[in-house]
Amino acid sequence: MTLERVKFLLSRMPHIYGVCIMGLCEPFLNPETPEILRWLKDIGRYNVAITTNGTIDLNEDKLDALLRADDFVFSIDTYDPETFRFLRGGADLERVMKNFRRLIEFKRARGLGRLDRPPIHINAVVTSRNFLQIPGLIKMLEPYADDLNYLMLDPVTRPDYQDFEDPLMLKRDLFEKHIGEFRRIAGASPLKIVGFDYMLERSFGWRDCHLSWSNIFVQPNGDVYFCYEYGYVLGNAFRANPLLVWNNKKARAFRRQLLTSNPPVEQCHFCNFARKGWQTGGIYYKTKKDVLGQQVRAVGR
């Protein structure tokens, strides 16, 4: 996704106010990512978020670009190097932690506080392999409690994880055996920790899922999605007007089905964005009608 393509897409989507750079690959593998960050904030004035797995060295150029991020997510799943290597396809935990500490030191040297850009939170994808290591992860991150917004524990409950020979989905009996102890540890920690309250609860709030009402996912090839169900392609933003794709027949059918007890994709039953714990008090309860009406009027013109 080049800077020129970013500019082109956003020129055709005048109602976009925020951009999140993320994906199933590491954003900093793209050599243009630092310049994209600078343009989005300095020229475009967008709200900017970015997620990294921390495997690419954060040099001065990348650190300077991150000063434009309004939300910055570091993915760290465990304190154990061997488990980390397994879950992250051979990644080196010490290298990731070195980049994490480099960012913390970069902010401290400039007198930047926890909420100053880039505000940092840790995302830990919880599986059967690392669930019992949560207390160790909390302990490893506690020295940075004043630097982190929160640690988010993101449970793997998605159907696609069951295709592994050794399924990674966290089992309920293991969860129930230890969750009381883990909640006590979290309650006593100086870290703010979220995720325990809704972990393993099936989703039911998909009618209020903001992804389909106010978001658009665009892959580097232009394919458009509403969410993390990559099999449901709405169209292509390079071959058609993105707003027309966002509100085409397939998109409207997806939203209509969200309003039923039978959501459009299996992922809806397991999606964090359809859990009330994620939606209370956030943008997700803001007027779907207003958002949709604005976009429809724009397409109508």
Side-chain angles (χ1 to χ4, degrees), residues 134-135 138 142 180-190 193 196:
I134 288 175
I138 293 172
E142 282 183 343
E181 173 194 357
F182 289 3
R183 282 175 174 157
R184 286 191 293 273
I185 293 172
S189 175
I193 301 168
F196 281 141

Side-chain angles (χ1 to χ4, degrees), residues 102-123:
R102 186 175 292 158
L103 176 59
I104 296 292
E105 292 163 3
F106 179 81
K107 288 190 65 176
R108 288 177 178 175
R110 285 154 181 77
L112 299 174
R114 179 173 59 88
L115 298 178
D116 293 320
R117 288 197 297 262
I120 308 164
H121 80 260
I122 303 295
N123 183 76

Side-chain angles (χ1 to χ4, degrees), residues 259-280:
L259 301 177
T260 73
S261 59
N262 181 32
V265 294
E266 186 181 2
Q267 169 66 26
C268 293
H269 291 284
F270 304 92
C271 183
N272 285 334
F273 290 97
R275 289 188 167 102
K276 293 298 182 184
W278 279 51
Q279 294 172 351
T280 303

Side-chain angles (χ1 to χ4, degrees), residues 188-296:
S189 175
L191 284 172
K192 182 178 180 181
I193 301 168
V194 298
F196 281 141
D197 291 341
Y198 55 78
M199 194 177 290
L200 291 196
E201 294 299 320
R202 283 180 67 86
S203 305
F204 61 89
W206 48 75
R207 67 174 54 233
D208 293 311
C209 177
H210 74 291
L211 293 181
S212 64
W213 293 102
S214 56
N215 277 31
I216 181 171
F217 282 39
V218 183
Q219 293 279 55
N221 68 356
D223 283 349
V224 173
Y225 309 82
F226 272 144
C227 63
Y228 300 96
E229 177 49 70
Y230 298 111
Y232 202 102
V233 181
L234 300 173
N236 191 281
F238 294 135
R239 294 196 290 268
N241 186 302
L243 290 177
L244 290 175
V245 174
W246 187 87
N247 201 44
N248 62 19
K249 289 182 178 179
K250 192 171 183 179
R252 295 198 299 272
F254 188 99
R255 295 190 190 99
R256 278 196 300 271
Q257 200 166 341
L258 284 175
L259 301 177
T260 73
S261 59
N262 181 32
V265 294
E266 186 181 2
Q267 169 66 26
C268 293
H269 291 284
F270 304 92
C271 183
N272 285 334
F273 290 97
R275 289 188 167 102
K276 293 298 182 184
W278 279 51
Q279 294 172 351
T280 303
I283 187 176
Y284 327 123
Y285 274 146
K286 290 186 179 178
T287 55
K288 294 181 298 185
K289 182 178 179 181
D290 290 347
V291 172
L292 185 58
Q294 181 187 47
Q295 302 285 14
V296 170

Side-chain angles (χ1 to χ4, degrees), residues 90-107:
D92 180 4
L93 177 60
E94 180 49 39
R95 181 175 184 175
V96 172
M97 290 302 297
K98 181 179 179 180
N99 281 315
F100 169 71
R101 291 190 293 266
R102 186 175 292 158
L103 176 59
I104 296 292
E105 292 163 3
F106 179 81
K107 288 190 65 176

